[in-house]
Amino acid sequence: MENKFAERLTGVDGSATREIFKLLANPAIISFAGGNPAPESFPKKDLADFAADILMKSGETVLQYGTTRGIKPLIGEIIKLAEADGIKAAEENVLVISGSSQGIELMAKSFINKGDTILVESPTFVGALQTFKTFQPNMVAVDTDDGGILLDDLEKKIKQHQPKFLYVIPTFQNPSGVTLVADRRKKLVEICAANGVKVLEDDPYASLRYSGEPLKPLKSFDTDGTVIRLMSFSKTISPGLRVGAAIGDAEIIRKFEICKQGIDVHTNNLAQAMVYEYIHSGKFQPHIEEIKAAYKQKRDVMREMIAEYFPKNVKVSPCDGGLFLWLTLPEGINTLDLLKTAVTQNVAFVPGTHFFAHGGHDNTLRLNFSMVSEAKIREGIKTLGGVITESL
Amino acid sequence: MENKFAERLTGVDGSATREIFKLLANPAIISFAGGNPAPESFPKKDLADFAADILMKSGETVLQYGTTRGIKPLIGEIIKLAEADGIKAAEENVLVISGSSQGIELMAKSFINKGDTILVESPTFVGALQTFKTFQPNMVAVDTDDGGILLDDLEKKIKQHQPKFLYVIPTFQNPSGVTLVADRRKKLVEICAANGVKVLEDDPYASLRYSGEPLKPLKSFDTDGTVIRLMSFSKTISPGLRVGAAIGDAEIIRKFEICKQGIDVHTNNLAQAMVYEYIHSGKFQPHIEEIKAAYKQKRDVMREMIAEYFPKNVKVSPCDGGLFLWLTLPEGINTLDLLKTAVTQNVAFVPGTHFFAHGGHDNTLRLNFSMVSEAKIREGIKTLGGVITESL
């Protein structure tokens, strides 16, 4: 019997993500292709204790249906974390979500009519591109440089297209590692507010800073409900628990909540309670410091090895935090082909073209440094340097 | 700043669900309004032990990102449960989902273009109605009687509207408690298959049978990928964990998987592992027997009390299992008004009109018997009997 699928799935085949997962699955390969935190960083002992304790003490409520909005103690902690970032939020402004990427789906579902224009960074998170596509928007890419979104290009494209919203990962961006510089942040929010364009601020890497000064989130410059901020505990506690938060205008958060009712009713209560206990116990901030020390070391080693073993005409984008380095190879090199060769030598990365709304940029690639050991980083980058040198 | 929400949310305000939750929140009220399992039924001690054990032994994988498809051991158990129901499934036919209601969203997202017709039972699950509405279909209600969907009406409406799919809760339906009788099951699948209409079989209550003979699921009669079956562990282990499964044609399950990538990437790994361990340990089937004994007693008490205290012209639909009794009061009584009076006397229920795609049926109501104690059932039904008698 023929399957008459909805139009919205035409051309959405999940192949990029699938290929990345395949590269991660082969244990012989040193894979810089993932976006995963280091498994040894997970506080499994603390989480095991909290899980057992929560279930014994509050099993009757934690195992029962919960409200779509999320459990109140966790919402309270999220409000405090937002305050520390210069964001004022009340309960009506917060929705607990099942990982911050659920916020992308909720934003798309709440705002996009087929054919509406939305703006995305060039490059941007491949998962967001796929999610957006299922809502059939006109996706327009805004140019970026080593300081993030170019405000001139943003203004130009807003005037040209009257977009519904801008999707931006302002800090240690995925895939580029680049951070939207301080003097563009407030201005970006002002430009969008003045033009009635919402901003979806996806900021899962913000607390993983290894160098430079902390910057205020876009949401802290918001005065009229322009910015919806997505927070994640995937990179700082555990991605497997699927807990994040959306913070925004109360009316928007209510629409997100209505959409979330259909999507999963509510986020797993036990995971919410575990994240709450972990933050509330005071273990969260010291844990972030530990992760940062470990990832900084890995980033430094990867950059040193690239400097030593990669051809000098390979450009590495600036990276003060997060999980990724972004490389631009000389024009003419196709990283999809390069990957095929690299895999035969047991090294993998993600070709950059997957991260562009309209493809192209065939000479770019993304490297993840969080999940691979220091020794494997040394070995893998040396090998990859050889593969690149040979391809030139 | 004005919020220019997507068209799909027009008229979707989540108010019915919200009202039900409000009625549950007031501890003074004896609420028959919920659809929750009994909190004392949750195996919290076993789940606490499993959770701690899983995190200590496999924290590195359970706390990491997982695949969208779900963890393999759980998929294996789901295949075995399906087999016991007469359903042949391979790994490619199974997707772990975050509660069976996520399967409704995935079906809608995978199949519905704006304006497509879908068929629903009359009445049906209010959450499904709300989810479907956000995809802007033409919703057509199929008539039912005490044996479930009327096949003549189904055939008529298929010819008339060429629907994409039929949404059906065949066993101990929510809200009606009614079961699609044996001799309509195979025939229903054949009618749909012959006309190229998919069947979304939502069957979360099937294992909670208190009387009568077990019936084979619709999926067991499927020969060509017509039926997508949704299973849930919410009523048999815990709803707070948000774990269910979709079983169907491999191509359809792959589309569901692509849609799920955006929705939550994957279902919480710890919850999946806890459900797996609970089933695999052999505790699951005896636990279901315990729940059934407790709920049967509650159902019996509620029916006895209704027989004793309700006017004789109140019709109670047949109920061999699940969580609900469905009442039809004499014409002219409006249960929305009745609820207002009942709440002043500290009893609540859900007015039936919320469960109809196009409203009406103002003289119907739904009673939940799983979550209230036997003593409270006696007290609440007696009170409600008085309220109804006075309204006549």
Side-chain angles (χ1 to χ4, degrees):
Chain A
M1 176 171 169
E2 188 206 354
N3 294 316
K4 289 171 241 160
F5 294 118
E7 261 179 34
R8 68 177 64 84
L9 297 186
T10 309
V12 182
D13 61 2
S15 57
T17 323
R18 195 173 233 197
E19 290 306 314
I20 296 170
F21 272 110
K22 270 190 206 154
L23 293 173
L24 287 169
N26 181 347
I29 285 184
I30 298 178
S31 179
F32 304 120
N36 292 10
E40 67 273 15
S41 78
F42 301 139
K44 68 177 190 178
K45 173 73 174 67
D46 286 330
L47 292 177
D49 291 345
F50 285 133
D53 200 48
I54 291 161
L55 285 165
M56 287 313 294
K57 282 189 189 145
S58 322
E60 289 78 5
T61 48
V62 163
L63 294 170
Q64 187 56 282
Y65 280 109
T67 60
T68 305
R69 194 53 77 108
I71 67 168
K72 292 220 174 200
L74 179 59
I75 291 173
E77 292 296 334
I78 288 163
I79 289 172
K80 279 190 235 167
L81 290 171
E83 256 170 27
D85 281 335
I87 297 163
K88 265 193 182 170
E91 277 190 14
E92 62 173 9
N93 302 114
V94 180
L95 178 70
V96 177
I97 53 183
S98 305
S100 64
S101 62
Q102 185 170 80
I104 300 169
E105 176 91 12
L106 295 171
M107 184 74 185
K109 187 151 185 181
S110 297
F111 281 96
I112 301 175
N113 290 319
K114 183 178 168 180
D116 280 350
T117 294
I118 61 167
L119 302 180
V120 296
E121 291 173 282
S122 178
T124 190
F125 171 43
V126 59
L129 290 175
Q130 180 173 308
T131 299
F132 289 141
K133 271 184 200 157
T134 66
F135 292 88
Q136 301 169 282
N138 171 35
M139 258 195 282
V140 173
V142 183
D143 293 339
T144 61
D145 66 11
D146 283 353
I149 283 186
L150 290 165
L151 299 186
D152 287 355
D153 196 54
L154 174 65
E155 278 198 285
K156 192 183 93 183
K157 279 165 181 164
I158 287 176
K159 301 289 179 210
Q160 221 172 333
H161 299 284
Q162 287 90 46
K164 274 275 177 83
F165 64 83
L166 163 69
Y167 171 69
V168 53
I169 307 166
T171 322
F172 321 134
Q173 205 239 20
N174 179 4
S176 72
V178 158
T179 295
L180 184 67
V181 289
D183 62 2
R184 293 186 197 171
R185 293 198 165 212
K186 191 173 177 215
K187 195 79 209 303
L188 182 147
V189 176
E190 285 169 355
I191 291 168
C192 288
N195 290 281
V197 177
K198 300 285 174 195
V199 177
L200 183 62
E201 176 184 38
D202 188 9
D203 215 7
Y205 311 105
S207 47
L208 299 178
R209 176 178 284 280
Y210 320 132
S211 46
E213 288 304 307
L215 298 180
K216 291 177 74 179
L218 297 178
K219 182 67 186 161
S220 72
F221 301 107
D222 184 14
T223 56
D224 69 347
T226 289
V227 182
I228 300 96
R229 176 171 170 79
L230 304 179
M231 286 175 59
S232 172
F233 298 104
S234 292
K235 275 74 190 181
T236 48
I237 301 179
S238 151
L241 293 179
R242 312 303 310 126
V243 181
I247 302 176
D249 169 72
E251 195 191 7
I252 296 173
I253 291 296
R254 173 67 188 142
K255 293 290 180 196
F256 278 27
E257 184 183 19
I258 290 169
C259 291
K260 187 173 162 68
Q261 282 174 5
I263 281 174
D264 59 9
V265 187
H266 62 81
T267 295
N268 176 299
N269 288 330
L270 176 60
Q272 291 188 66
M274 286 164 69
V275 169
Y276 162 71
E277 292 289 352
Y278 195 70
I279 299 172
H280 191 70
S281 68
K283 290 175 187 286
F284 185 49
Q285 295 302 339
H287 180 64
I288 292 177
E289 293 308 315
E290 272 177 45
I291 296 176
K292 280 164 64 175
Y295 288 179
K296 177 184 190 301
Q297 171 71 6
K298 290 183 178 191
R299 178 202 64 171
D300 292 348
V301 168
M302 187 177 266
R303 288 211 290 209
E304 284 159 26
M305 293 299 290
I306 288 173
E308 193 171 340
Y309 290 99
F310 279 30
K312 295 306 159 216
N313 51 1
V314 172
K315 177 185 177 280
V316 184
S317 293
C319 166
D320 281 325
L323 309 180
F324 306 110
L325 290 185
W326 179 252
L327 272 58
T328 308
L329 276 53
E331 294 279 344
I333 291 196
N334 185 318
T335 56
L336 289 162
D337 295 336
L338 193 76
L339 176 61
K340 285 176 204 150
T341 315
V343 167
T344 64
Q345 299 192 33
N346 285 337
V347 193
F349 56 82
V350 186
T353 187
H354 296 313
F355 300 99
F356 292 88
H358 307 290
H361 305 263
D362 294 335
N363 58 327
T364 58
L365 64 87
R366 187 190 79 174
L367 296 175
N368 165 265
F369 55 79
S370 58
M371 202 164 118
V372 187
S373 71
E374 209 182 300
K376 293 275 184 190
I377 291 176
R378 290 185 191 277
E379 186 187 337
I381 293 296
K382 201 167 155 181
T383 307
L384 191 55
V387 173
I388 294 173
T389 305
E390 264 179 45
S391 75
L392 289 177
Chain B
M1 178 172 171
E2 189 206 353
N3 293 318
K4 290 171 242 160
F5 295 117
E7 261 179 34
R8 69 176 64 82
L9 298 186
T10 308
V12 181
D13 62 2
S15 58
T17 323
R18 196 173 231 196
E19 290 306 314
I20 297 169
F21 272 110
K22 271 190 206 156
L23 293 173
L24 287 169
N26 181 347
I29 285 183
I30 298 177
S31 180
F32 304 120
N36 292 8
E40 67 272 14
S41 78
F42 302 138
K44 66 176 188 176
K45 174 73 175 69
D46 286 330
L47 293 177
D49 292 345
F50 285 133
D53 200 48
I54 291 161
L55 285 165
M56 288 312 294
K57 281 191 190 145
S58 323
E60 289 78 4
T61 47
V62 164
L63 294 170
Q64 188 57 282
Y65 281 109
T67 60
T68 304
R69 194 53 79 109
I71 67 168
K72 292 218 175 201
L74 180 57
I75 291 174
E77 291 298 333
I78 289 163
I79 289 172
K80 279 191 237 167
L81 290 171
E83 254 170 28
D85 281 335
I87 297 163
K88 264 195 183 168
E91 278 190 14
E92 62 173 9
N93 302 114
V94 179
L95 178 70
V96 177
I97 53 183
S98 304
S100 65
S101 63
Q102 185 170 79
I104 300 168
E105 176 91 12
L106 294 172
M107 185 73 185
K109 187 152 185 179
S110 298
F111 280 96
I112 301 176
N113 290 318
K114 183 178 168 180
D116 279 350
T117 293
I118 61 168
L119 302 179
V120 298
E121 289 173 282
S122 179
T124 191
F125 172 42
V126 60
L129 291 175
Q130 180 174 307
T131 299
F132 289 142
K133 271 184 199 157
T134 67
F135 292 88
Q136 301 169 283
N138 171 36
M139 258 195 282
V140 174
V142 184
D143 293 339
T144 62
D145 65 11
D146 284 352
I149 283 186
L150 292 164
L151 300 185
D152 286 354
D153 195 54
L154 174 66
E155 277 197 288
K156 192 182 94 185
K157 281 165 181 163
I158 287 175
K159 301 288 179 213
Q160 221 170 332
H161 299 283
Q162 287 88 46
K164 273 275 177 82
F165 64 83
L166 162 71
Y167 172 69
V168 54
I169 307 166
T171 323
F172 322 133
Q173 206 238 20
N174 179 4
S176 73
V178 158
T179 295
L180 183 67
V181 290
D183 62 3
R184 293 187 198 169
R185 294 197 165 213
K186 190 172 178 216
K187 195 81 208 302
L188 182 147
V189 176
E190 285 169 353
I191 291 169
C192 289
N195 290 281
V197 177
K198 300 285 174 195
V199 177
L200 182 62
E201 176 183 40
D202 188 10
D203 215 7
Y205 312 105
S207 47
L208 299 179
R209 177 177 283 279
Y210 321 131
S211 47
E213 287 305 307
L215 298 179
K216 289 177 77 179
L218 298 178
K219 182 67 185 160
S220 72
F221 300 107
D222 184 14
T223 56
D224 69 348
T226 289
V227 182
I228 301 96
R229 175 170 170 82
L230 304 180
M231 284 176 60
S232 173
F233 298 104
S234 292
K235 275 74 191 179
T236 47
I237 301 179
S238 151
L241 293 179
R242 313 302 310 125
V243 182
I247 301 174
D249 168 72
E251 194 192 9
I252 296 173
I253 290 296
R254 173 67 188 142
K255 293 290 180 197
F256 279 26
E257 184 183 20
I258 289 168
C259 292
K260 186 173 163 68
Q261 283 175 5
I263 280 174
D264 59 8
V265 186
H266 63 80
T267 295
N268 177 298
N269 288 331
L270 176 60
Q272 291 187 66
M274 286 163 69
V275 169
Y276 161 71
E277 291 289 351
Y278 196 70
I279 299 171
H280 191 70
S281 69
K283 289 175 188 288
F284 184 50
Q285 295 302 339
H287 180 64
I288 292 176
E289 294 307 315
E290 274 177 43
I291 297 176
K292 281 165 62 176
Y295 289 178
K296 177 184 190 300
Q297 172 70 6
K298 289 182 178 191
R299 178 202 64 172
D300 291 348
V301 170
M302 187 176 267
R303 288 210 290 208
E304 283 159 24
M305 293 300 289
I306 288 173
E308 192 169 344
Y309 289 99
F310 278 31
K312 296 303 158 220
N313 50 2
V314 172
K315 176 183 178 280
V316 183
S317 293
C319 167
D320 281 324
L323 310 179
F324 307 109
L325 290 185
W326 179 252
L327 273 57
T328 307
L329 277 54
E331 293 280 343
I333 291 196
N334 184 319
T335 56
L336 289 163
D337 296 335
L338 193 76
L339 177 61
K340 285 175 204 151
T341 315
V343 167
T344 66
Q345 299 191 36
N346 286 337
V347 194
F349 56 83
V350 186
T353 187
H354 296 311
F355 300 99
F356 292 88
H358 308 289
H361 305 263
D362 295 335
N363 58 327
T364 58
L365 64 87
R366 188 191 77 175
L367 296 174
N368 165 265
F369 55 79
S370 57
M371 203 163 118
V372 187
S373 71
E374 208 182 300
K376 293 276 184 190
I377 290 174
R378 290 185 191 277
E379 186 187 337
I381 293 296
K382 199 168 159 182
T383 307
L384 190 56
V387 173
I388 294 172
T389 305
E390 264 179 46
S391 75
L392 288 177

